[in-house]
């Protein structure tokens, strides 16, 4: 056992020295590589977003009826994202939606729920607008691209809904002395 301890100590010492010198050797190797690298290329200036060609199929009456309900302008979304919806001046009733560098040509679609729905079928993107928020969905992968988007009209709608809810909670509630269940039980006696 005594002969193993000196071997063990020298092995541990050799490993410690190897580990301690490893960063120094890698720094020397990295500095020699850095000198031989070519200069980085300049990155080109970002290009303006380009939309796909617009589908010019005529809109039906239901689609045209939805168009005035669309909140045009900027909508601030979760995680400091922004969506901009603008009417297409060349194609009445159609809209352009910009999210980051992406631009979509949106067509209003009627719904049975009263929600406003804009869709770019070619890109597989849907913009859903309800009174208190909007969201952008990718229907091809079945995910939300961005949520909790609020146009200024939706912000005021949410504030008025919160105010009316607070007023309802603070107003006194009528108290009837008996409930329908207790009244019914008294009649049976």
């Amino acid at each position: 056992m005594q002969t193993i301890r000196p071997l063990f100590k020298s092995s541990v010492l050799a490993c410690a020295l190897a580990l301690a010198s490893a960063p120094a050797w890698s720094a020397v190797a990295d500095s020699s590589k850095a000198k031989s690298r070519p200069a980085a290329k300049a990155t080109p200036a970002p290009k303006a977003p380009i939309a796909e060609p617009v589908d010019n199929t005529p809109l039906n009456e239901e689609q045209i009826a939805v168009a005035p309900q669309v909140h045009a302008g900027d909508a601030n979304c979760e995680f400091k994202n922004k969506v901009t919806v603008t009417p297409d001046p060349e194609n009445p009733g159609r809209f352009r939606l910009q999210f980051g560098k992406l631009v979509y040509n949106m067509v209003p679609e009627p719904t049975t729920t009263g929600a406003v729905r804009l869709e770019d079928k070619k890109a597989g993107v849907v913009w859903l607008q309800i009174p208190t928020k909007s969201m952008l969905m990718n229907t091809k992968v079945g995910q939300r691209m961005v949520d909790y988007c609020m146009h200024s009209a939706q912000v005021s709608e949410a504030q008025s809904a919160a105010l009316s809810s607070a007023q309802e909670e603070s107003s006194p509630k009528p108290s009837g002395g008996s409930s329908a269940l207790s009244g019914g039980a008294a009649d049976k006696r």
Side-chain angles (χ1 to χ4, degrees), residues 6 68 111 142 156 158:
T111 64
S156 62

Side-chain angles (χ1 to χ4, degrees), residues 62-84:
E62 290 176 323
Q63 290 173 311
I64 293 171
V66 172
Q69 300 170 14
V70 175
H71 295 308
D74 293 337
N76 294 317
C77 307
E78 64 183 351
F79 307 121
K80 298 183 180 181
N81 287 311
K82 183 174 87 170
V83 172
T84 304

Side-chain angles (χ1 to χ4, degrees), residues 21-75:
S21 65
W25 281 105
S26 67
V28 170
D30 287 344
S31 67
S32 67
K33 288 181 184 176
K35 291 178 186 174
S36 65
R37 289 184 187 156
K41 295 180 182 178
T43 57
K47 296 179 182 177
I50 299 173
E52 292 288 321
V54 177
D55 177 20
N56 289 324
T57 57
L59 300 178
N60 62 35
E61 289 179 21
E62 290 176 323
Q63 290 173 311
I64 293 171
V66 172
Q69 300 170 14
V70 175
H71 295 308
D74 293 337

Side-chain angles (χ1 to χ4, degrees), residues 85-98:
V85 178
T86 54
D88 188 343
E90 298 171 8
N91 298 299
R94 297 176 189 268
F95 296 86
R96 290 218 168 163
L97 184 142
Q98 181 175 351

Side-chain angles (χ1 to χ4, degrees), residues 3-5 16 28 31-32 38 44 53 62 91 93 95 107 114-115 126 128 130 135 137 139 141 145 154-155 172 185:
T3 60
I4 295 176
R5 277 197 178 177
V28 170
S31 67
S32 67
E62 290 176 323
N91 298 299
F95 296 86
V107 176
V126 174
L128 292 173
I130 59 174
M135 71 181 85
M137 306 277 295
T139 57
V141 295
M145 295 170 67
Q154 291 169 314
V155 170

Side-chain angles (χ1 to χ4, degrees), residues 100-123:
K101 295 181 180 181
L102 305 172
V103 178
Y104 301 102
N105 295 307
M106 309 299 278
V107 176
E109 294 294 334
T111 64
T112 58
T113 62
V116 174
R117 178 184 172 109
L118 300 177
E119 187 170 359
D120 183 339
K121 291 181 181 180
K122 186 174 181 181

